[in-house]
Amino acid sequence: MRCSGAALAALALACLLHSAAAGRALLQYDCTAAKQQCESASCKGKINFDCDPATGLTKCSCDSAGFASCFPGSATVRTADGQAKPLSEVQLGERVLSVGADGALQYSPVYMWSSRRPAEAADFLLVRTDAGANLTVTSGHYLFAWRGDAAQRAAQAALGNPAGWPLVLPSQLAVGDVVPMAGGAVPGGHGGAALPTLARVTSVERVQETGVYMPHTLTGAIVVDGVVASELTSLVPPQLAGPWVSRGLAASLRLAFAALPARSVEGAVRSLSAWAHGGPGDAAVSAPALRAPAASAA
């Protein structure tokens, strides 16, 4: 039986499509090795892995267990010598820019790391502002923010009283919300010291970063990536949270170091870190930093 030209063309096209499909199957990416590498990463929580066999694109991230909330290792703080330093390089006892009880910008020593995991990859939220200060933080870490039509006016009136600053989680932020920041600070605090200025949120997006760090200063309000952030997490109910909680924690640790061996206090802090983070404790605390003057002028 003789085949028409159309039949031969159809047969040739079918062969080409079959060959292309077979080629794609042969070229599919093997996700097994990437998954094994992802699962071997440091993660005190749940590892999320996704792989597209067709393109070879993979995603590996860690959802921190417990109530762990932190900043990435690449986030920066300003030290007393005026330098911007990544959190991954900051040492216990080093003075960093923070906000005191009167709202004034000042340098306060880092007396504790409640979390310090340099190798851990995690999901963060990137909060962008119209002032160019962009803060990267986990979703369970409290930020200070004013919301609504009167946000700017309310924030301006409250700058000198951090105890009254409203706390929100990054996932609750919306475009137009107002946050305090250190850039372009103006005089107005106690003795004419500089107060934070204000910026509006322009977007909130999910990102991946490496390293999870949670520093604690003697003021309870630290400036990270130019934005003033709380040092508390969703472990503390919002109606009970505030800078006074952080200062109370520091006071309690001073009393503990005065009454107990340093090793016992340090062990208790690590145990608390293990409970909060769902894994081995990685916290560190410094008795000398706790005894240092609370702040120096910015």
Side-chain angles (χ1 to χ4, degrees):
M1 179 172 129
R2 300 177 67 181
C3 294
S4 68
L8 288 174
L11 181 60
L13 178 60
C15 289
L16 285 172
L17 291 174
H18 177 75
S19 298
R24 282 196 300 270
L26 289 174
L27 292 173
Q28 279 200 331
Y29 184 79
D30 183 3
C31 296
T32 305
K35 183 178 182 180
Q36 291 174 345
Q37 183 176 8
C38 177
E39 292 176 342
S40 67
S42 171
C43 175
K44 298 170 185 175
K46 176 187 175 184
I47 286 182
N48 302 308
F49 176 76
D50 185 59
C51 177
D52 184 350
T55 63
L57 294 177
T58 63
K59 178 181 178 181
C60 179
S61 64
C62 172
D63 288 338
S64 293
F67 300 96
S69 297
C70 324
F71 307 102
S74 59
T76 60
V77 292
R78 191 193 305 172
T79 57
D81 61 2
Q83 300 298 310
K85 180 178 283 191
L87 284 175
S88 59
E89 299 178 9
V90 174
Q91 304 298 315
L92 281 175
E94 196 161 6
R95 290 183 175 272
V96 300
L97 192 62
S98 59
V99 173
D102 62 352
L105 290 165
Q106 53 192 229
Y107 291 100
S108 183
V110 174
Y111 74 85
M112 182 171 69
W113 294 100
S114 60
S115 179
R116 188 173 51 174
R117 289 166 279 162
E120 185 168 311
D123 290 328
F124 292 84
L125 292 176
L126 173 60
V127 180
R128 297 186 184 273
T129 73
D130 61 0
N134 305 317
L135 174 66
T136 305
V137 63
T138 50
S139 59
H141 191 108
Y142 285 129
L143 302 179
F144 301 110
W146 291 263
R147 316 187 69 188
D149 295 338
Q152 185 80 21
R153 185 167 61 253
Q156 197 68 51
L159 280 180
N161 181 30
W165 292 0
L167 292 166
V168 301
L169 295 173
S171 57
Q172 298 172 325
L173 288 172
V175 172
D177 289 348
V178 175
V179 296
M181 56 170 294
V186 296
H190 180 70
L195 291 174
T197 53
L198 301 170
R200 287 193 179 274
V201 174
T202 57
S203 68
V204 180
E205 57 194 76
R206 293 190 177 276
V207 296
Q208 277 191 317
E209 296 284 350
T210 300
V212 285
Y213 291 80
M214 184 57 246
H216 295 266
T217 71
L218 297 178
T219 68
I222 187 171
V223 178
V224 179
D225 289 335
V227 177
V228 185
S230 169
E231 296 175 13
L232 297 175
T233 73
S234 55
L235 173 62
V236 182
Q239 61 270 26
L240 301 178
W244 64 271
V245 175
S246 298
R247 291 193 289 271
L249 173 61
S252 299
L253 285 170
R254 285 192 201 96
L255 290 175
F257 273 115
L260 300 169
R263 184 176 299 177
S264 298
V265 179
E266 293 163 355
V269 168
R270 285 193 294 272
S271 296
L272 181 60
S273 169
W275 169 75
H277 299 162
D282 51 20
V285 61
S286 167
L290 281 164
R291 294 191 293 267
S296 58

